[in-house]
């Protein structure tokens, strides 16, 4: 009561009483100390991971050996004896090892690295440099950090301000068009920001040319320093838009939902009954109670931002700490890696500490009393519980159903509940499915999501059966012989549906399979004349990529001789060269065409003599000579190969490959690989990653939370402290580090990511649910009849929240699907495994934005489709299983 | 706890948020040096500015309600 009076007096005077100030100060101090300890543990663990077992020390020793080898090669040491040279080598080696601290034991080395890390004594980099060519790691890091902070600051303001404003508007006009639209679009937030980044680059940079592809500055520097402002703003527009898009709908959905829930509270109804205006109700009755929630949500957005910034900076080539980390890890820049992990940890800790301070300011429980501690579970002996049970606690709870054992012990008839009422039969089997189907049918988007999931699962099963893993890896491996037959960077065939001038497909004619005409005319002394004719119709509106001929001849001593000629539909003929062929030999027009072919004097084609120049040999073979621009002539073309073989048993065959500009349903990449292989195999990999990750994370989190709550004491404390430390450790950088330092298996990385995610905010949510459950009468009853701890956990506690678990798992799946894509996009994936993320990585690295947009749009589209389908189903299930959400 | 009016809390929050954006911008343009202190000050200013702004808004709502 005194506390309430104090609070009331604070309201009147606008000042807090001294007891409140000391309580807040104590709360913040305790949080700061705990956070510092967690920070130290988190950073030390990261340092251990970076140098576990001295792995990188070995690399450093090898580098010392290389440096010394180079020194002795370049320095004249001939005046020294062999012993003196050996001694000099040993002395130099020892000195360099001491300078790097390699002479110390591993524990001391790791502690030294830890101390140096947290005190910013990061030393010198081996290869990375600042713009001023400095290798001081502090300078390298602090050159990149403001670039990232600039992105973070502006993006967070946009997200926060826009989300709160829109959420308030939507809750006010609940059920309207905009409300339903945002609700329908809310699953879009499951897509990571770098996917939005790719799409934005495609639209605004590649297609419209309004904004730059990436980077931070223009090629030419401005005249004054102020001139940098519009340049930087222009370059940061797309990255900020990507961040805002990825966070906006999630924030709006969550905040609008909470506004609505609080709108339904009695005091809001009372306010409406009093006749208050909507504006007053919104600001005074809805916004204020949800302020702590908004702050929490904002803090998690901040934490999420630091995880995603690495990928975003990679996409936009934004020179921040994320891009620096990606440069540092593959080249074993241990100092830079430690420095960046420390910076990430500090930034995460700063976000969490700000959250704690804001709790102290906003949460009345902290101001009034209790120091913000969570509710302590009541420790009750089994004897006490039994006594409570005997006093009839359970009988006052109608609807409570006994298990089989409890039923026997209770002495009630088998079909009665704890209050002695008749049990209502629950729908089972087909009727349960029917009920579920009826519920899910209320959400058309969820039905659509289920259909897409069914399709994806079917495609995955087909892929695994039709293209076994080894075959897929073989087909995807670059440099294989079959890929020679495919065109390079060919668009998918279906693009011809949208084009007036059709693009040519691949045309392959072979004298061995009968698609070409082969005439053999024997003559004297074992000499035979072989004519190979390759005739084909060409009705297309564009030129093919190139022409290749694969010769396959068999002879003992003397090589066959061939002459190539080309005949166009209008009767013109071109000589493509004459030469003797080996057993297996290839002729490629772009490389082997005779010089005369490109000579304007000899080929009087208008586009050659009067055009812009720079035309290729294939254009000369197909172009209409009467046009100033190269335009292909439609009709029948013929390639003729006249060969002479000089032995009776000699054979001459050849395959003509006219490389088209479209291929298959998915097109090809820069290594002539059919993208369909990666798109098909990407589905089972993404789904397996998503299902395994989501189920393992959710189950493990739930079990640990249940054990922590039930056993309490040090078990609960340990789990909670690990979760606290884990909040300081950035997941994505750790996963990248594991890949480069320990294992290139994506399943090992999945295991690490699951382990890190198990001890996340999820475990705290489950803990809150189990804490309430622990006090439930049926748990007391279970204790009273002597049920074991494990039985209570696994039979009575966990099954109760399993229904809540299903939407959690479904919503978590797209996160893991996208995380696999994110890792592959960062080239953190098994080298030969075809995945969607890897296709996107190749596409962006090898020039997809220069006219090959299909290369990134196809895998991006599939990833978005997969993510959205699970998210749509998950959101609907969340509404079905959570009665509070059902009405909103 | 310093007793400030809600509008002052909001104003302080706004200044901090602006500082959280302007300071990195000045560092990017090399007008001021990039140091650990300045970087974290700007980050802390950006985040705490938003929180203080929200706190100010909450105080304003409460005070406004009391006056009714």
């Amino acid at each position: 009561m005194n506390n309430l009076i104090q609070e009331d007096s604070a309201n009147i005077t606008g000042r807090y009483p001294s007891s409140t100030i000391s309580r807040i100060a104590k709360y913040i101090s305790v949080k700061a100390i705990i956070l510092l300890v967690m920070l130290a543990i988190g950073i030390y663990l990261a340092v251990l991971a970076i140098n576990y077992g001295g792995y990188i020390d070995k690399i450093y020793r090898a580098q010392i050996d290389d440096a010394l080898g180079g020194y002795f090669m370049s320095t004249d040491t001939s005046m020294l004896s062999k012993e003196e040279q050996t001694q000099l080598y040993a002395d130099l080696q020892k000195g360099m090892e001491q300078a790097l601290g390699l002479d110390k034991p591993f524990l001391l080395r790791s502690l030294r690295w830890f101390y140096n890390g947290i005190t910013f004594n990061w030393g010198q980099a081996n290869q990375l440099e600042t713009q001023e060519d400095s290798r001081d790691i502090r300078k390298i890091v602090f050159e990149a950090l403001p670039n990232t902070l600039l992105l973070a600051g502006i993006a967070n303001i946009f997200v926060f301000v826009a989300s709160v404003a829109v959420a308030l508007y939507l809750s006010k006009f609940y059920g309207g068009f905009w409300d339903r639209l945002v609700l329908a679009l809310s699953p879009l937030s499951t897509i990571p920001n770098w996917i939005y980044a790719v799409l934005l680059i495609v639209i605004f940079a590649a297609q419209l040319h309004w904004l730059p592809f990436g980077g931070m500055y223009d090629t030419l520097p401005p005249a004054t320093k102020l001139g940098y402002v519009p340049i930087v703003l222009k370059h940061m527009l797309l990255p900020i838009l990507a961040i805002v898009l990825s966070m906006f709908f999630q924030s709006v959905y969550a905040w609008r939902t909470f506004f609505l829930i609080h709108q339904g509270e009695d005091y809001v109804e009372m306010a409406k009954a009093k006749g208050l205006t909507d504006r007053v109700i919104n600001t005074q009755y809805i916004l204020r109670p949800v302020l702590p929630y908004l702050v929490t949500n904002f803090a998690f957005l901040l934490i999420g931002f630091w995880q995603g910034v690495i990928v975003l900076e990679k996409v936009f080539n934004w020179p921040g700490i994320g891009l620096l980390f990606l440069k540092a890890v593959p080249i074993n820049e241990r100092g830079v890696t430690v420095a960046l992990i420390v910076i990430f940890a500090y930034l995460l800790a700063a976000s969490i500490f700000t959250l704690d301070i804001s709790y102290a300011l906003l949460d009345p429980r902290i101001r009034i009393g209790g120091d913000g501690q969570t509710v302590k579970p009541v420790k009750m002996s089994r004897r006490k519980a039994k006594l409570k049970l005997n006093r009839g606690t359970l009988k006052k709870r109608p609807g409570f159903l006994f298990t089989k054992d409890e039923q026997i012990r209770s002495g009630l008839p088998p079909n009665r509940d704890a209050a002695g009422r008749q049990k209502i039969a629950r729908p089972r089997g087909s009727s349960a499915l029917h009920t579920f189907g009826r519920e899910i049918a209320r959400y058309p988007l969820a039905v659509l999501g289920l259909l897409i999931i069914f399709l994806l699962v079917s495609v995955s099963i087909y892929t695994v059966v039709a293209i076994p893993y080894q075959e897929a890896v073989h087909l995807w491996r670059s440099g294989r012989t079959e890929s020679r037959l495919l065109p390079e960077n060919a668009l998918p065939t279906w693009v011809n549906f949208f084009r007036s001038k059709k693009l040519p497909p691949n045309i392959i004619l072979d004298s061995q399979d009968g698609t070409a005409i082969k005439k053999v005319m024997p003559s004297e002394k074992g000499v035979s004349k072989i004519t190979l004719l390759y005739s084909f119709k060409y009705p297309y509106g564009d030129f093919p990529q190139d022409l290749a001929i694969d010769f396959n001849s068999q002879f003992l001593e003397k090589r066959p001789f061939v002459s190539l000629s080309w005949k166009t539909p209008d009767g013109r003929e071109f000589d493509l060269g004459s030469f003797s062929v080996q057993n297996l030999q290839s002729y490629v027009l772009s490389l082997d065409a005779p010089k005369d072919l490109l000579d304007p004097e000899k080929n009087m084609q208008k586009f050659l003599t009067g055009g812009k120049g720079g035309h290729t040999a294939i254009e000369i073979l197909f172009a209409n000579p009467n046009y100033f621009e190269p335009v292909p002539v439609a009709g029948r073309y013929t390639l003729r190969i006249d060969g002479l073989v000089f032995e009776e048993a000699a054979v001459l065959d050849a395959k003509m490959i006219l490389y088209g500009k479209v291929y298959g349903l998915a097109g090809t990449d820069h290594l002539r690989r059919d993208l369909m292989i990666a798109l098909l195999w990407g589905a089972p990999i993404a789904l397996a990653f998503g299902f395994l990750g989501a189920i393992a994370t959710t189950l493990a989190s739930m079990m640990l939370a249940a054990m922590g709550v039930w056993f309490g004491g040090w078990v609960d404390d340990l789990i909670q402290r690990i979760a606290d430390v884990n909040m300081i450790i950035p997941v994505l950088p750790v996963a990248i580090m594991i890949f480069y330092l320990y294992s290139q298996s994506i399943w090992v990385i999945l295991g690490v990511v699951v382990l890190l995610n198990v001890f996340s905010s999820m475990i705290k949510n489950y803990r809150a649910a189990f804490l309430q459950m622990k006090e439930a009468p049926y748990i007391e009853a279970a204790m009273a009849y002597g049920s074991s701890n494990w039985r209570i956990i696994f039979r009575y506690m966990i099954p109760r929240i399993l229904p809540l678990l299903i939407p959690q798992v479904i919503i978590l799946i797209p996160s893991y699907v996208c995380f696999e894509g994110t890792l592959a996009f960062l080239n953190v994936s098994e080298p030969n495994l075809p995945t969607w993320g890897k296709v996107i990585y190749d596409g962006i690295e090898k020039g997809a934005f220069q006219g090959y947009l299909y290369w990134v749009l196809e895998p991006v589209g599939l990833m978005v489709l997969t993510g959205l389908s699970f998210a749509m189903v998950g959101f609907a299930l969340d509404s079905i299983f959570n009665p509070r959400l059902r009405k909103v | 706890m310093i007793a400030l009016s809600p509008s002052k809390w909001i104003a302080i929050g706004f200044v901090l948020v602006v500082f959280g954006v302007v300071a990195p911008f000045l560092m990017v343009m090399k007008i001021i040096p990039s140091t650990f202190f300045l970087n974290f000050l700007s980050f802390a200013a950006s985040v705490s500015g938003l929180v203080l702004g929200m706190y100010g808004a909450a105080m304003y709502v409460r005070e406004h309600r009391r006056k009714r």
Side-chain angles (χ1 to χ4, degrees):
Chain A
M1 181 59 78
N2 286 338
N3 286 331
L4 290 173
I5 293 167
Q6 283 176 355
E7 174 71 4
D8 197 41
S9 68
N11 286 343
I12 295 164
T13 59
R15 291 171 185 278
Y16 286 116
S18 59
S19 60
T20 301
I21 295 170
S22 64
R23 201 176 290 121
I24 290 174
K26 186 183 165 192
Y27 171 84
I28 292 174
S29 307
V30 169
K31 287 288 177 185
I33 292 165
I34 291 173
L35 202 60
L36 281 175
V37 174
M38 299 308 157
L39 193 67
I41 296 170
I43 292 174
Y44 184 66
L45 288 176
V47 169
L48 277 185
I50 290 169
N51 198 14
Y52 177 69
Y55 176 82
I56 297 178
D57 290 343
K58 286 177 191 166
I59 295 169
Y60 270 104
R61 287 202 166 92
Q63 286 175 352
I64 289 171
D65 286 341
D66 288 346
L68 288 174
Y71 172 77
F72 277 90
M73 290 281 282
S74 59
T75 311
D76 184 13
T77 53
S78 56
M79 76 290 290
L80 300 174
S81 66
K82 201 164 185 178
E83 289 74 26
E84 285 173 330
Q85 284 183 16
T86 311
Q87 187 59 43
L88 178 63
Y89 187 96
D91 289 345
L92 287 171
Q93 189 182 38
K94 194 176 175 186
M96 290 169 85
E97 285 185 358
Q98 279 176 347
L100 290 169
L102 296 177
D103 56 329
K104 303 280 192 305
F106 175 69
L107 186 66
L108 284 180
R109 279 203 308 278
S110 61
L111 284 173
R112 183 184 153 178
W113 271 105
F114 165 71
Y115 179 74
N116 288 344
I118 59 167
T119 54
F120 311 114
N121 183 15
W122 296 325
Q124 298 284 314
N126 294 322
Q127 298 173 52
L128 293 171
E129 291 177 343
T130 63
Q131 288 173 354
E132 288 83 27
D133 299 333
S134 169
R135 290 195 173 178
D136 185 345
I137 295 175
R138 277 174 69 104
K139 288 183 179 172
I140 293 170
V141 171
F142 290 134
E143 187 179 79
L145 185 56
N147 300 340
T148 304
L149 288 179
L150 191 60
L151 271 189
I154 296 182
N156 285 329
I157 291 172
F158 271 102
V159 170
F160 185 77
V161 173
S163 302
V164 172
V166 174
L168 263 176
Y169 176 84
L170 293 182
S171 62
K172 189 176 174 182
F173 297 101
Y174 158 63
F177 171 75
W178 294 109
D179 184 43
R180 280 183 283 133
L181 183 70
V182 170
L183 209 61
L185 293 175
S186 55
L188 286 172
S189 289
T190 53
I191 300 162
N193 54 24
W194 66 270
I195 299 264
Y196 286 106
V198 171
L199 294 173
L200 289 172
I201 289 174
V202 167
I203 297 167
F204 292 103
Q207 292 295 309
L208 299 173
H209 303 288
W210 288 353
L211 293 166
F213 282 90
M216 200 169 166
Y217 307 105
D218 287 342
T219 315
L220 295 173
T224 60
K225 280 193 172 179
L226 272 180
Y228 277 110
V229 176
I231 293 173
V232 173
L233 285 176
K234 182 177 70 179
H235 281 78
M236 72 191 304
L237 212 57
L238 286 185
I240 285 174
L241 199 55
I243 297 168
V244 171
L245 279 174
S246 69
M247 292 177 165
F248 178 74
F249 293 107
Q250 180 194 5
S251 309
V252 170
Y253 173 77
W255 295 350
R256 160 234 179 249
T257 306
F258 265 76
F259 286 150
L260 285 172
I261 287 171
H262 283 269
Q263 214 168 24
E265 298 289 354
D266 292 342
Y267 58 86
V268 177
E269 295 299 322
M270 185 66 184
K272 283 179 182 170
K274 277 162 66 181
L276 298 179
T277 62
D278 284 350
R279 185 173 166 275
V280 172
I281 292 171
N282 268 341
T283 52
Q284 296 183 12
Y285 289 80
I286 298 173
L287 181 63
R288 206 169 73 86
V290 295
L291 273 176
Y293 170 75
L294 295 185
V295 174
T296 310
N297 198 290
F298 179 63
F300 281 119
L301 280 178
L302 279 180
I303 293 168
F305 171 80
W306 290 113
Q307 306 286 0
V309 75
I310 292 178
V311 202
L312 197 74
E313 289 184 353
K314 163 86 176 164
V315 178
F316 285 106
N317 200 26
W318 186 265
I321 53 173
L323 194 64
L324 182 63
F325 185 82
L326 286 175
K327 284 181 185 170
V329 178
I331 56 174
N332 291 317
E333 281 280 15
R334 180 172 55 169
V336 180
T337 311
V338 170
L340 289 172
I341 293 280
V342 169
I343 290 289
F344 274 120
Y346 276 132
L347 288 169
L348 289 174
S351 307
I352 294 165
F353 188 58
T354 311
L355 171 72
D356 286 335
I357 292 176
S358 50
Y359 268 148
L361 292 172
L362 298 170
D363 195 337
R365 286 171 297 183
I366 296 165
R367 289 204 308 270
I368 294 169
D371 294 339
Q373 290 172 355
T374 52
V375 179
K376 294 283 183 194
V378 178
K379 288 183 179 172
M380 190 187 297
S381 66
R382 289 184 182 181
R383 182 180 169 80
K384 192 178 169 187
K386 194 171 183 177
L387 286 171
K388 202 172 176 183
L389 179 72
N390 290 340
R391 283 201 298 269
T393 315
L394 289 176
K395 288 185 181 176
K396 292 174 185 172
R397 310 267 180 169
F400 171 78
L401 299 177
F402 291 119
T403 62
K404 195 176 176 184
D405 289 344
E406 291 163 352
Q407 198 77 48
I408 294 165
R409 286 160 198 262
S410 69
L412 285 166
N415 58 345
R416 298 274 164 175
D417 68 8
R421 297 188 320 186
Q422 187 78 28
K423 279 195 285 189
I424 300 163
R426 291 178 184 175
R428 290 188 184 278
S430 60
S431 59
L433 268 177
H434 180 71
T435 310
F436 174 75
R438 207 173 49 216
E439 283 287 329
I440 205 91
R442 290 173 52 223
Y443 301 88
L445 284 175
V447 176
L448 180 67
L450 276 176
L451 283 175
I452 297 171
I453 293 170
F454 176 74
L455 200 67
L456 283 167
V457 172
S458 306
V459 167
S460 300
I461 293 168
Y462 164 79
T463 305
V464 173
V465 174
I467 316 168
Y469 176 74
Q470 291 300 332
E471 192 184 335
V473 169
H474 168 72
L475 289 171
W476 191 245
R477 195 175 291 141
S478 59
R480 65 195 176 82
T481 50
E482 298 93 317
S483 63
R484 264 209 75 247
L485 303 177
L486 273 55
E488 184 183 333
N489 285 129
L491 272 68
T493 311
W494 49 262
V495 297
N496 273 339
F497 289 117
F498 309 101
R499 294 178 65 98
S500 55
K501 289 182 178 178
K502 307 295 181 197
L503 297 174
N506 241 24
I507 298 173
I508 299 175
L509 303 174
D510 194 345
S511 62
Q512 286 180 308
D513 64 8
T515 49
I517 299 166
K518 182 177 181 180
K519 293 176 187 171
V520 182
M521 287 175 282
S523 57
E524 294 176 353
K525 298 177 183 175
V527 178
S528 300
K529 187 179 177 186
I530 298 175
T531 303
L532 305 174
L533 287 170
Y534 302 83
S535 184
F536 58 93
K537 273 188 179 175
Y538 194 86
Y540 307 103
D542 203 344
F543 294 93
Q545 282 187 359
D546 206 348
L547 173 73
I549 303 163
D550 283 355
F551 291 99
N552 182 3
S553 66
Q554 292 169 20
F555 56 89
L556 291 174
E557 289 180 1
K558 197 165 182 181
R559 295 191 292 181
F561 187 83
V562 294
S563 294
L564 314 179
S565 63
W566 182 263
K567 192 175 180 183
T568 61
D570 52 5
R572 289 171 297 128
E573 284 201 29
F574 295 95
D575 176 19
L576 300 184
S578 303
F579 47 89
S580 56
V581 295
Q582 296 173 346
N583 293 100
L584 295 170
Q585 183 174 333
S586 290
Y587 170 95
V588 180
L589 184 72
S590 56
L591 302 173
D592 305 320
K595 287 179 183 173
D596 290 352
L597 192 68
L598 289 165
D599 188 350
E601 295 296 322
K602 302 210 171 175
N603 280 312
M604 291 301 287
Q605 301 195 19
K606 282 191 176 176
F607 75 88
L608 276 181
T609 53
K612 295 170 186 169
H615 299 291
T616 59
I618 198 80
E619 286 178 342
I620 292 164
L621 295 190
F622 282 83
N624 190 326
N626 301 316
Y627 291 157
F628 284 104
E629 288 296 324
V631 178
V633 178
R636 183 168 287 280
Y637 289 81
T638 306
L639 170 71
R640 182 187 176 102
I641 301 175
D642 290 309
L644 284 174
V645 293
F646 306 100
E647 296 165 4
E648 280 187 9
V651 175
L652 176 67
D653 279 298
K655 182 190 285 180
M656 184 204 82
I657 308 148
L658 190 71
Y659 293 113
K661 285 187 174 170
V662 290
Y663 183 85
L665 281 174
T668 61
D669 66 2
H670 64 304
L671 296 172
R672 301 174 188 274
R673 295 178 297 194
D674 186 356
L675 290 179
M676 187 52 84
I677 302 292
L679 297 186
L680 282 175
W681 255 95
I685 291 170
L687 290 184
F689 206 88
F691 276 114
L692 281 175
I695 292 170
T697 305
T698 316
L699 284 178
S701 287
M702 192 184 58
M703 280 193 271
L704 283 169
M707 284 192 282
V709 167
W710 182 248
F711 292 113
W714 69 269
V715 178
D716 192 33
D717 284 344
L718 181 69
I719 292 169
Q720 294 310 309
R721 294 297 79 77
I722 292 173
D724 289 341
V725 171
N726 195 42
M727 286 182 82
I728 304 292
I729 300 174
V731 177
L732 189 58
V734 170
I736 295 167
M737 219 167 59
I738 296 290
F739 174 81
Y740 282 109
L741 299 184
Y742 298 106
S743 171
Q744 296 204 331
S745 164
I746 59 163
W747 306 114
V748 171
I749 294 167
L750 174 64
V752 173
V753 173
V754 166
L755 197 66
L756 290 173
N757 281 339
V758 162
F759 292 96
S760 63
S761 57
M762 196 185 287
I763 210 166
K764 290 184 181 287
N765 292 339
Y766 287 133
R767 182 174 179 270
F770 283 125
L771 275 175
Q772 289 181 352
M773 202 180 294
K774 190 180 178 183
E775 303 304 318
Y778 72 94
I779 298 289
E780 292 168 17
M783 286 169 68
Y785 78 72
S787 192
S788 72
N789 289 329
W790 296 110
R791 184 180 173 84
I792 290 172
I793 291 171
F794 288 104
R795 291 293 299 275
Y796 304 132
M797 290 175 75
I798 289 177
R800 280 296 292 250
I801 63 162
L802 275 179
L804 289 175
L805 201 71
I806 295 165
Q808 289 289 328
V809 171
I810 304 286
I811 289 172
L812 203 58
I813 287 173
S815 308
Y816 273 98
V817 168
C818 293
F819 194 78
E820 187 277 324
T822 303
L823 290 173
F825 172 72
L826 296 173
N827 210 17
V828 176
S829 185
E830 288 177 34
N832 292 321
L833 196 63
T835 64
W836 295 336
K838 196 164 270 179
V839 175
I840 301 170
Y841 170 79
D842 284 341
I844 289 176
E845 288 290 308
K846 306 295 177 187
F849 294 136
Q850 277 78 48
Y852 310 113
L853 294 179
Y854 68 95
W855 201 351
V856 291
L857 287 181
E858 287 172 350
V860 160
L862 284 171
M863 207 180 282
V864 169
L865 200 67
T866 310
L868 284 184
S869 60
F870 281 103
M872 288 188 295
V873 176
F875 276 55
L877 289 177
D878 210 15
S879 298
I880 291 169
F881 286 112
N882 190 343
R884 291 198 88 189
L885 292 172
R886 199 172 295 176
K887 290 179 183 174
V888 294
Chain B
M1 178 66 65
I2 304 164
L4 291 175
S5 67
S7 53
K8 282 181 183 168
W9 278 117
I10 294 170
I12 290 171
F14 180 74
V15 169
L16 286 172
V17 167
V18 171
F19 177 79
V21 174
V22 170
F25 221 121
L26 295 175
M27 285 185 263
V28 165
M29 290 193 294
K30 312 245 186 263
I31 292 171
I32 56 172
S34 172
T35 61
F36 174 81
F37 176 73
L38 270 179
N39 275 296
F40 272 80
L41 188 69
S42 64
F43 176 69
S46 173
V47 177
S48 56
L50 286 170
V51 173
L52 289 182
M54 281 174 56
Y55 178 66
M59 293 249 304
Y60 173 82
V61 168
R62 182 169 29 170
E63 201 167 276
H64 197 65
R65 186 179 60 171
R66 201 181 63 234
K67 282 176 185 170
R68 282 178 62 87

